[in-house]
Amino acid sequence: MDMRVNIAGVEWKNPVTVASGTFGSGEEFSEFVDLNRLGAVTTKGVANVPWSGNPTPRVAEVYGGMMNAIGLQNPGIELFCQRDIPYLKQFDTKIIVNVCGHAPEEYLAVVERLQDEPIDMMEINISCPNVNAGFLAFGQDAGHVEELTAQIKKIAKQPVIMKLTPNVTDITEIAKAAEAGGADAISLINTLTGMKIDINRRTFALANKTGGVSGPAVHPIAVRMVYQAAQAVRIPIIGMGGIATAEDAIEMILAGASAVSVGTANFHDPAVTLKVIDGIGKYMEKYGFETVKDMVGAVR
Ligand SMILES: Cc1cc2nc3c(=O)[nH]c(=O)nc-3n(C[C@H](O)[C@H](O)[C@H](O)COP(=O)(O)O)c2cc1C
């Protein structure tokens, strides 16, 4: 049995990474997880300059998951390159840097700064509000997605994963736009926009009013979108959204994902990724799958 997967020319030792923003840059989880065991570590989002994020409260619990409006707080690319990349380089795992921005120039500045850094892939978070398009997220407009992808591809030295937002009417249109712009892979889903009201204080649970819903509650939606995207494009897909067990991850792979990311589940079980990896291995043995690739999209 061989758990290796090849994502856009990069070989991971197994198909499991962590979802951006739920694992820091690995350091706070290293007590619970041997990072050498992960297929890849996906970092929290990083922008060209430090972002302070949204006012608090910015997380809330909801049935079957959580809601967050962190607002992509991050230290900026300079400190990130000095501190987080050297930390991750100590481990035998692939490094995926998640990139955010408010305008194409901001994304491009980060991608350019990463050109000579020893990272393996980059994941572009297009759920960020686009200041030039009335704060609609980049990822909600197929034209913007294709254009931004093409601009990034012109300067990126590492393979580019475009991370799609589920807050759209037709995910296949956006997946195809990323492919047309030259994306090496896509990942999905980011969080679904939600709202929670504190009925006793008669106010919003989050200072931002709305927040992104994640966790098991969103899993069936994520499986459906991964399946639809897999029918629409030929580039590899990294599937995520509510994965909390090996069974959830296997479902995503059978729907068409070549690899998976575990997000919110890390908060209640910091070692969950290891259980997911082991469980996928056991499933492959049980059903006689020699490679992960044989499982990808096996349900049509
Ligand atoms: C607290 C928190 C922070 C997040 N930060 C980011 C981020 O910086 N960049 C990004 O692309 N996605 C971010 N996400 C979205 C996750 O990477 C993931 O796409 C989403 O939560 C669905 O997966 P899950 O249900 O397994 O958490 C964040 C999610 C959470 C819960």
Side-chain angles (χ1 to χ4, degrees), residues 1 3 12-19 23 33 37-39 219 239-253 259-266 268-285 292 295:
M1 185 190 66
M3 288 195 73
W12 303 11
K13 59 177 70 165
N14 63 58
V16 179
T17 184
V18 288
F23 204 75
V33 179
R37 289 209 50 210
L38 299 178
H219 184 65
M240 72 191 94
I243 296 178
T245 63
E247 288 75 14
D248 298 335
I250 293 160
E251 225 185 306
M252 207 62 112
I253 295 170
V260 295
S261 316
V262 180
T264 300
N266 290 301
H268 57 87
D269 178 1
V272 65
T273 41
L274 304 182
K275 294 173 192 165
V276 171
I277 295 165
D278 292 342
I280 296 172
K282 286 201 186 99
Y283 178 87
M284 290 173 69
E285 260 168 34
V292 174
M295 291 163 57

Side-chain angles (χ1 to χ4, degrees), residues 253-254 284 288-300:
I253 295 170
L254 293 173
M284 290 173 69
F289 285 108
E290 298 274 322
T291 68
V292 174
K293 205 173 167 201
D294 297 335
M295 291 163 57
V296 176
V299 173
R300 278 166 219 275

Side-chain angles (χ1 to χ4, degrees), residues 19-22 45 68 72 98 125 163 189-191 214-215 240-242 263-264:
S20 177
T22 66
N68 90 83
L72 298 168
N98 182 283
N125 177 5
K163 180 168 178 180
I189 60 172
N190 211 313
T191 55
S214 62
M240 72 191 94
T264 300

Side-chain angles (χ1 to χ4, degrees), residues 164-180:
L164 312 190
T165 170
N167 300 311
V168 295
T169 311
D170 181 1
I171 197 72
T172 64
E173 191 198 338
I174 308 293
K176 284 183 195 156
E179 185 175 53

Side-chain angles (χ1 to χ4, degrees), residues 106-125:
E106 296 184 13
Y107 285 97
L108 295 173
V110 179
V111 172
E112 192 174 6
R113 177 66 184 80
L114 288 170
Q115 279 176 337
D116 298 318
E117 289 294 325
I119 64 158
D120 299 287
M121 311 183 86
M122 59 182 87
E123 179 181 61
I124 312 297
N125 177 5

